Structures are given as C-alpha cells and as structure tokens.
Amino acid sequence: MSSAAEQEAVAGAVAAEEGRPAAVVNGARRRAPAVPVWPGAPLPLGARFRVGPDGVAGTNFALWAGGAEAVELCLFDADGKETRARLSELTHEIWHGFVPGVMPGQRYGYRVHGRWDPWTGGRWNPAKLLLDPYARAVDGDFSLPPEVYGHVRDWPQQHVADTVRDERDSAPYVPKGVVVHDDDDWADDRRPKTPWADSVIYEVHVRGFTKLHPGIPEELRGTYAGLAHPAAVEHLVKLGVTAVELLPVHQFAHEDHLLRRGLRNYWGYNSIGYFAPHAAYAASGTTGQQVGEFKRMVHALHAAGIEVILDVVYNHTAEAGELGPTLSLKGIDNRGYYRLQSDARRYADYTGCGNTLHVVQPHVLRLITDSLRYWVTEMGVDGFRFDLAAALARSMHDVDMLSPFLAVIAQDPVLRRVKLIAEPWDVGSGGYQVGAFPPLWTEWNDRYRNAVRDFWRGALPDVRDLGYRLSGSSDLYAWGGRRPYASVNFVTAHDGFTLRDLVSYERKHNEANGEGNRDGSNDNRSWNGGAEGETDDEAVRALRRRQLRNLLTTLLLSTGVPMLVAGDELGRTQRGNNNAYCQDNEISWLDWGLLEEPGWKALFDLTSRLIELRHRHPVLRRRAFFSGRAHSADGLRDLAWFTLRGTEMTERDWYAPAATLGMYLSGRDIPGRDERGAPVLDDSFLALLHAGEQPVSFVLPGPPWAERYEVVVDTSREEQGDAPGVEHRA
C-alpha cells in the first residue's frame, strides 16, 4: 500500500476463517522513540507514582489483561503526541513496568494486542487506545466517532458489522488516564458515622443541585467545589439530612444515540472509570485536580456532620453490547470482563444497557472491591448504593445470595463497616429480590413507594400493605437479624416523577427526550387532582400542596430510613418528565427561586420540621421491629392500629376498603438501652392518615393509650406554627 494511502483509512477485504465474513480497515501508524521501562511490580494495579530503584521517581504501571499477547503503554504530551513502550513483564496475567521520570499529571492509555475473533469473544484491537480501568483521573470527553469502535460501525451488513475489525487509530478521540499523586492529608477528617436508624438520606445530583444556586459563585456551580460551598452545605444543614447520596460520580460516557440527538447523559449511569471522579464536575482542572477537589468536598460535608454515599454502577459499563464502542475492558479482555452468551459474539444483558460485568471472575471481583475500598480509604466516602444490585449477586446465571460478590463484601474489613444499599432488582429473569439481601445490607423498598402512592391517590383496596410499610416492612425484613432500617423508604427517586409532578400529572410527558414519549415507566401511580400539569385553579393547587404535605409527613414518620430527592422539599418540577436521564438543563436542575415563594417555602419548613421531629424522638427511629404485644399490665402495646371510631382494628377491618388509618407508637416500649444502659423512653405518637374525599371525625383513643393529645403536625394547614394541645374526649 502506498504511503499516501496509509494516511487515509480505507477498507480492504481479507480472507475469513471458516467462511466467516471479515474485513480490516487500515490506517496510519506512527513510530515513537523508545521509552525506558524497568520491570516494576504487578501490584498495586493501575498507575502509581512512587520512588523506584536508586531513588529515581517515576510511575509503576500494572494492567490485568488475561489472554492478551502484548500490552503497550502509551504516553501523551500536552500536544497529544504519543510515545509507546512495551510492558514486557508478565506476572499472573498482569502486565507491568516502572517508567522512570513519569510524573503526576502524565496522560496515558494502553493498546492491547491479541487475536480478533468475535465468534469466541476475542475483541483485541491495538488500534484502539484503552482507558486504564484503575485510572484515578480522566482527562477529556468521549465523543464516540466511528474511530472509537473496535469494529467498523458503518459496515453495510450490520448483522455482521461487529465481526469486521476497524484499524483506525482512536487515540485522538478518546480521553486519557492521568497519573495522580497522593498528597492529601486526612488527619483532621472526622467521619460522622451516623447509625443507620438515625439516618435521613438526601439523593443529590452534584451538577443539578448547584448549577442554579444563587449563593454559589458562578465558576463553582455544577461542581464538587460548588457542593462543598457554604451556601450549599447550609441548605443541607437547615434541612437536617444526615447523608447525601450522590448520583453517579464515577467517570462516565455519553451514549451515541444521545449525542446524535444533541443530548447528553445527565444522570451518569454509564460508567467507564471506577476509580476516577467524573471530570466534568471539577472546577479546578481535569489532569488530577478533580481528585483533590472531590476530597475537599467530602471533608466539607463531614465537617457539617453529613455523610457521603455514592450511587455506583458496577453492573455494566459504557461499552454496551457487540455494536458498542471499544473504550476499555472490551479491548483489554472482552471475554474475561463481560458475561457472554453461548454465542460468544453476544453479551448476556441483565441490565438493559447492553452488557453485564462478569462478577464471578476473580479479576472482575477484584476490580470492583479495589474500587470500593479506594473510595472509602482514600476518597473518604461513607457508603454506597448499588445500581441493579441483583446483577452483581448472580452466580453463573441466577441471583444467588451466597454469590462471590456478597461473600467478599461480608468478610471485607473495610467494606463491611460502611453503609451498603442495594437496588434489589435487575432486568433479568428472577431479578426482583426485594427483601432477599443478607444482613449488613439495606434496600430500596419500592413496595413502600407503591403502597404510599396508592393510598394517597385512593387506589389501595384495603390498608393491610400500608400497615406493613409504615411500621418498617417486617414482612420483608424480619429475618436473619435484619432490622427496620434495612428498609430505605422512598416515595420518589431520580427515576420517575418528582414529588410535585406526582400530584400534578397522571401521564408521563417525556417528549423532550426525543424518543416519542416511549421511554420511562407508564406505572406512575400518580394523581393530578383534576387537571393535567400546571394550572391556575387555586383549589387544585391547594389540594396538590396538601398532598405533598401528606406524602412528606408519611415518609418522614414511617419506621425505616427515609430518602428524599433533592428539590422535593422545594416543589421542584420536571414538567411531567419521568425519565429525565438526558436532560442536563433547567428541566433537571434545582430552581432555588422556589424558596422565595411562600407556598414552597412553607413546604421546606415543614420538611425541616419533620426531620427535626424524627431526630428528637427515638420512637420514630426504632432499631427493632414492633412486636404488637402488650408489655405491661394495662394492656399497652408498642404498636396499635385504630379505626376512625377510636377502636382497635380487627382482622375484618384490615381486609375492608378504608381511606382512614390510625397508627399508635408507644414511647414506653422502645427496645434497647442508651449508652449508659438506661431504658429508652419517649413520647407516644398517634398518626392519623385520611385519604378520603370528604372530611371525617376521628375519635381519639383514651387510656391506656393516652390521657391527652397535642397536635404536632397537621397537613391540612399550609403553615404549621405552634399548635395548641388537644384534650382527649372518649
């Protein structure tokens, strides 16, 4: 081939083994000057700056690449010029070498050589620059042009396109890993270590929470530094939450179908770097500065008594299926990292995202656990919420609560001490596992969400299920030593309607996503109060605000761990979009101007008051399930249920249609002792829930339940204030 032809990518057919279709796309290659590489060490994996032999500073590079034939380390200067060096040392399938003189800030990647044989799962292609799975900082964006695909993306016969190798160089189009120096001192950091029973979780998007905040300097909005700013922290402290659960902050990529429509992945559930803070959320720079900025954010939140929980996506990566890009793991060892079908060209997809990590493989399990330990020990985080956790708990095919992943977490001295939250389902067969995760784990309880939504929209056939949800879901979690705080109670989450939209829309309105309103769930269990969307009808608006107060009060007084979504306390709306994963704009960002409106300011005040009430009263934060039995001679029980007549509910009452329920929580019968061994005593509470269309009179139970009552919260009132006591009348 002529040198002129080498400068322009052209396709040429080659013979195919056993008649299989194949082709090669040839592109220019550059020779680079030699780089000295000393043997180095196989551990730790990744790029670690250190002092090497004879006191020479440099970086040790180590990459697991089982099945590979050769590995090239690629170093890039400020102008993008590439210098390559072979890693010739191989220890237990780990390619490694120490490169003297490579300092923090150096950008790098890998080219991995091996056999191109998609029919057996082999997708090695050294034309593709690969991101180090252990890279602790990433510089640049994934733009996903054709060059970053290991196969010829636009091959005319799409049904075999994934078998046609593309040899165009992807390096100019993909981000690079960055060598990072560990120089942060955590000596003065104090983790809050909030007990599970005392926790109130606040689900937050780093960018969306800070992007429009008027108290945060403009240059810090949308960043880790913005979330660490006193104006942001002040809101969290006033609200009273004990932990922020950050939507994904691992480095992620935008999907091709979004980029083609001029959109971007906003939520971040498309990870590609499990050790790297997402660079776009950094105000200070992307050549390692993002690491220190993230740490300073954690430090600031800890100083305010707020824990940091990460929403993590270890079930799949941004490389999608066989027609997806080659960015990292696919080109390092496709069949070693991903679950493949019996037809090894295809991926087993338990996530709905094209691929599933093969967690049963020891090196994949090590990647995940090394990442988790890194974020705890070096980045300071306090726990994790695992997206589609059931996919991680699968052994070869079925979900297995004795799976290697769960077993490793249970015995790990670092990870078993942090907060572990499972999203207890995936999209595969048998993937719904609510209530099935072992002790140490808490779970998102979607049965709580469904029951509370249905009750307040008048769709529950009876109140049996609601009773379980309000009192800690003992039917799901009272086994194996699990406690009520195994249930993370929520009414809304990032996925679905906001709380305001839940009472304003009965149908999703996702037209802005560009998918013909086909995306997003149709099972919203919402009620609009008589008008779809925003309305000028003051009666409907007042009803909706009352419903918001009902939902928030129910959530924050229920037994279990409550989770709020950032902005629900302000009346945030997404204009009926229940799948705003690609809306990096005002649809998703918090509108802080709502706090200037009296109605929404009152909602914030109520939410803060309810959280403070929860913190003050241990009867609302029980560490053991209710027994429902009398513990004293007067017949008082720790939990009792009442009809609107003031009588205890019978078996027949539980099965009858009802829009009214009374729940009595005794402050005299709280299990456990305080730190000095004394019994825990508290006030007793009677929660009255009425979802009917017409007002009713509720007869308050007399002795032994109470001599008198004091109104603490009344959701029929816009402003709460100080309510007078209410004398008991039998």
Side-chain angles (χ1 to χ4, degrees):
M1 183 177 292
S2 68
S3 59
E6 289 178 351
Q7 300 302 317
E8 179 179 352
V10 296
V14 298
E17 181 182 359
E18 298 179 359
R20 295 166 177 161
V24 176
V25 175
N26 298 307
R29 299 208 176 177
R30 290 184 288 178
R31 291 187 175 273
V35 174
V37 181
W38 299 347
L43 295 175
L45 291 167
R48 291 295 179 117
F49 172 74
R50 63 179 176 85
V51 176
D54 301 323
V56 176
T59 299
N60 192 85
F61 295 90
L63 176 73
W64 183 92
E69 297 172 357
V71 172
E72 289 181 296
L73 170 67
C74 307
L75 305 177
F76 294 86
D77 65 16
D79 297 324
K81 181 182 178 182
E82 176 181 352
T83 302
R84 302 184 191 179
R86 282 286 179 109
L87 298 182
S88 58
E89 298 295 323
L90 180 61
T91 306
H92 303 309
E93 298 186 313
I94 298 173
W95 301 79
H96 56 90
F98 178 85
V99 184
V102 169
M103 307 298 286
Q106 172 68 58
R107 300 186 305 147
Y108 73 100
Y110 291 108
R111 297 181 187 274
V112 181
H113 299 254
R115 185 181 181 191
W116 176 263
D117 189 9
W119 302 271
T120 61
R123 294 185 178 272
W124 286 284
N125 185 345
K128 308 306 166 184
L129 186 76
L130 306 174
L131 183 68
D132 180 3
Y134 280 73
R136 291 184 294 158
V138 176
D139 180 49
D141 288 326
F142 289 101
S143 57
L144 302 187
E147 288 83 355
V148 306
Y149 289 75
H151 66 282
V152 181
R153 188 178 70 175
D154 53 357
W155 190 252
Q157 297 171 300
Q158 279 292 294
H159 67 287
V160 294
D162 68 290
T163 69
V164 183
R165 191 167 80 168
D166 186 311
E167 292 196 1
R168 288 172 289 189
D169 186 6
S170 69
Y173 309 100
V174 294
K176 281 73 178 176
V178 180
V179 177
V180 174
H181 182 38
D182 299 314
D183 58 356
D184 290 279
D185 184 8
W186 285 88
D188 61 341
D189 183 67
R190 296 292 181 268
R191 294 178 184 264
K193 297 182 179 180
T194 307
W196 258 126
D198 300 338
S199 297
V200 178
I201 297 173
Y202 191 65
E203 191 187 45
V204 177
H205 191 287
V206 169
R207 180 170 168 82
F209 184 79
T210 61
K211 186 62 179 175
L212 300 178
H213 198 300
I216 298 174
E218 188 170 354
E219 66 273 13
L220 301 183
R221 296 176 189 173
T223 69
Y224 306 118
L227 188 55
H229 191 273
V233 176
E234 180 185 18
H235 180 81
L236 301 173
V237 172
K238 283 184 178 179
L239 188 57
V241 297
T242 67
V244 290
E245 182 178 302
L246 303 182
L247 266 69
V249 295
H250 288 166
Q251 185 70 37
F252 62 86
H254 305 289
E255 294 90 332
D256 180 67
H257 69 92
L258 293 179
L259 295 174
R260 288 170 183 256
R261 298 201 301 270
L263 299 171
R264 296 164 64 85
N265 188 313
Y266 172 68
W267 287 348
Y269 291 92
N270 205 37
S271 299
I272 196 61
Y274 291 131
F275 290 77
H278 189 59
Y281 298 161
S284 53
T286 61
T287 54
Q289 299 91 339
Q290 61 265 53
V291 178
E293 184 176 329
F294 184 93
K295 291 180 179 181
R296 290 188 291 275
M297 176 197 72
V298 173
H299 196 290
L301 291 168
H302 282 179
I306 298 169
E307 294 184 304
V308 178
I309 298 171
L310 302 188
D311 194 335
V312 290
V313 189
Y314 294 112
N315 54 76
H316 75 280
T317 76
E319 293 185 299
E322 60 270 15
L323 295 178
T326 297
L327 307 175
S328 182
L329 306 182
K330 185 180 288 186
I332 295 171
D333 188 349
N334 182 61
R335 58 194 176 203
Y337 276 107
Y338 293 116
R339 291 179 180 266
L340 304 179
Q341 299 181 25
S342 55
D343 174 4
R345 276 180 60 193
R346 315 299 181 191
Y347 292 75
D349 184 8
Y350 298 114
T351 66
C353 300
N355 64 54
T356 306
L357 280 180
H358 202 349
V359 181
V360 174
Q361 297 279 15
H363 47 274
V364 180
L365 186 58
R366 178 168 61 184
L367 170 68
I368 295 172
T369 53
D370 283 353
S371 169
L372 292 169
R373 283 189 290 267
Y374 171 75
W375 286 95
V376 173
T377 60
E378 298 192 45
M379 302 295 273
V381 306
D382 306 285
F384 305 94
R385 179 265 187 190
F386 292 82
D387 179 65
L388 300 182
L392 298 173
R394 290 184 180 270
S395 290
M396 293 311 295
H397 299 289
D398 296 333
V399 178
D400 179 7
M401 290 305 159
L402 298 176
S403 67
F405 172 74
L406 295 178
V408 166
I409 295 293
Q411 61 79 40
D412 189 282
V414 172
L415 302 180
R416 69 189 182 200
R417 293 175 175 269
V418 303
K419 288 182 165 64
L420 303 171
I421 306 171
E423 182 183 35
W425 51 77
D426 64 20
V427 301
S429 175
Y432 187 76
Q433 295 289 325
V434 172
F437 275 72
L440 289 184
W441 287 82
T442 64
E443 300 175 16
W444 270 26
N445 187 352
D446 67 331
R447 289 184 59 179
Y448 178 94
R449 174 199 64 197
N450 294 347
V452 170
R453 287 187 178 192
D454 281 346
F455 176 76
W456 285 113
R457 71 188 181 105
L460 274 184
D462 51 49
V463 292
R464 285 176 295 157
D465 196 37
L466 183 66
Y468 274 120
R469 305 308 145 229
L470 298 176
S471 58
S473 296
S474 60
D475 59 329
L476 299 175
Y477 302 112
W479 64 273
R482 303 188 82 183
R483 301 297 184 93
Y485 46 77
S487 176
V488 174
N489 299 331
F490 66 102
V491 177
T492 58
H494 65 274
D495 188 2
F497 282 148
T498 67
L499 201 66
R500 178 175 171 181
D501 288 355
L502 187 68
V503 302
S504 304
Y505 296 88
E506 292 189 2
R507 302 181 304 278
K508 64 186 182 184
H509 296 268
N510 299 354
E511 291 80 6
N513 296 354
E515 299 178 38
N517 205 36
R518 295 183 300 273
D519 63 304
S521 175
N522 293 316
D523 183 20
N524 295 299
R525 300 173 190 247
S526 58
W527 179 50
N528 61 21
E532 183 72 0
E534 296 301 313
T535 178
D536 294 328
D537 188 321
E538 187 51 45
V540 173
R541 295 170 66 174
L543 171 62
R544 290 175 177 176
R545 290 194 297 271
R546 186 164 73 244
Q547 285 288 78
L548 291 176
R549 296 192 293 272
N550 291 336
L551 290 163
L552 284 169
T553 302
T554 304
L555 173 65
L556 291 167
L557 298 186
S558 295
T559 301
V561 178
M563 184 187 77
L564 291 165
V565 177
D568 276 354
E569 77 280 12
L570 308 178
R572 182 176 75 92
T573 177
Q574 290 179 171
R575 308 170 197 167
N577 193 321
N578 75 350
N579 190 36
Y581 77 104
C582 56
Q583 297 300 324
D584 188 4
N585 50 48
E586 288 84 355
I587 291 176
S588 297
W589 302 339
L590 268 67
D591 178 5
W592 292 96
L594 293 168
L595 274 176
E596 305 300 320
E597 302 179 24
W600 301 123
K601 176 61 165 60
L603 188 69
F604 170 82
D605 291 341
L606 171 65
T607 308
S608 179
R609 177 175 180 156
L610 288 165
I611 294 174
E612 194 274 333
L613 186 71
R614 186 179 183 90
H615 289 325
R616 195 168 70 241
H617 291 283
V619 71
L620 302 175
R621 300 178 279 108
R622 286 180 60 97
R623 287 159 166 77
F625 287 104
F626 297 98
S627 70
R629 297 188 296 270
H631 294 279
S632 56
D634 59 9
L636 186 72
R637 291 189 295 282
D638 58 359
L639 174 68
W641 303 95
F642 291 92
T643 69
L644 57 81
R645 300 180 300 278
T647 59
E648 288 193 69
M649 292 183 64
T650 65
E651 188 75 8
R652 182 176 181 179
D653 292 326
W654 282 111
Y655 286 85
T660 307
L661 179 67
M663 179 177 68
Y664 178 88
L665 309 175
S666 173
R668 282 172 37 184
D669 299 290
I670 302 175
R673 298 171 179 268
D674 65 18
E675 294 179 350
R676 298 185 178 183
V680 177
L681 298 175
D682 194 12
D683 296 330
S684 297
F685 285 82
L686 178 66
L688 307 178
L689 291 79
H690 174 62
E693 295 183 8
Q694 302 299 323
V696 296
S697 296
F698 197 104
V699 178
L700 301 177
W705 311 104
E707 297 290 340
R708 64 184 300 274
Y709 292 87
E710 176 186 349
V711 176
V712 178
V713 175
D714 180 358
T715 62
S716 69
R717 299 162 55 188
E718 189 95 45
E719 304 282 347
Q720 295 300 306
D722 294 323
V726 177
E727 296 295 335
H728 161 72
R729 292 185 293 275

